[in-house]
Amino acid sequence: MSRCVTSNSNLYTYGYNPKMTTSGAPPVKPLVWIGSSKKDLVALPALVVDVFGYGLYLAQTGSRHESSKVLRGFGDAGVLEIIESGAGGTYRAVYTVRFEAAVFVLHVFQKKSKSGIATPKPDMELIEARLKRAAEIAQEMKRELKKS
């Protein structure tokens, strides 16, 4: 599984900078893209990208977008999805706020209507696998922060 890595030397391994400004703005958690989630996001219609981008920003600040809801099947309220309809279909961005280190974007996709409003099984399996990878990365990030 890939992750978003930036070549900027001011950024840490996972493309985030844990140093926050003292401007009084709410602290913003870093955003970590798991697998192809970022590539999948930018391939969506621009209006959908805007909604998901704003929703993920709200998650980074500890808030929730009005179109977000808990994704069932993961045991707690730590895995959420933003749902946007229009522009030729229904789109979903699944992310987790379960880990202190960052907000992890697990999966971004266009919902194909095969099973009503339920998330298809292959997508759920992919989300589960990426959630496990996010847990591993969160542990690595925690160790990195302890070292510094």
Side-chain angles (χ1 to χ4, degrees):
M1 305 238 165
S2 66
R3 58 188 171 264
C4 181
V5 179
T6 309
S7 62
N8 184 337
S9 63
N10 295 328
L11 297 178
Y12 288 80
T13 306
Y14 297 103
Y16 72 96
N17 190 340
K19 296 176 182 162
M20 300 295 168
T21 63
T22 57
S23 66
V28 177
K29 281 185 172 185
L31 193 62
V32 178
W33 303 90
I34 304 294
S36 64
S37 57
K38 186 170 187 179
K39 181 184 77 146
D40 298 337
L41 175 70
V42 298
L44 299 180
L47 291 175
V48 175
V49 172
D50 287 347
V51 170
F52 287 172
Y54 181 61
L56 293 170
Y57 169 75
L58 289 175
Q60 289 177 275
T61 63
S63 298
R64 279 180 55 178
H65 191 275
E66 63 187 23
S67 297
S68 70
K69 68 176 196 168
V70 174
L71 183 61
R72 294 178 189 215
F74 293 96
D76 64 10
V79 178
L80 299 107
E81 64 180 339
I82 304 168
I83 302 170
E84 181 64 18
S85 295
T90 300
Y91 303 88
R92 296 183 181 191
V94 179
Y95 63 96
T96 184
V97 294
R98 185 178 284 177
F99 309 107
E100 187 178 335
V103 173
F104 292 86
V105 183
L106 304 173
H107 190 33
V108 178
F109 61 103
Q110 180 177 5
K111 169 79 169 64
K112 306 289 186 201
S113 184
K114 293 180 183 171
S115 55
I117 62 170
T119 304
K121 187 176 180 182
D123 289 306
M124 291 296 281
E125 290 169 350
L126 180 62
I127 292 164
E128 187 174 349
R130 289 182 176 180
L131 183 60
K132 288 177 184 175
R133 181 64 185 131
E136 294 168 0
I137 294 171
Q139 284 291 73
E140 291 174 28
M141 292 169 69
K142 195 173 182 180
R143 283 193 294 273
E144 283 181 22
L145 288 175
K146 283 184 180 179
K147 288 180 185 177
S148 57

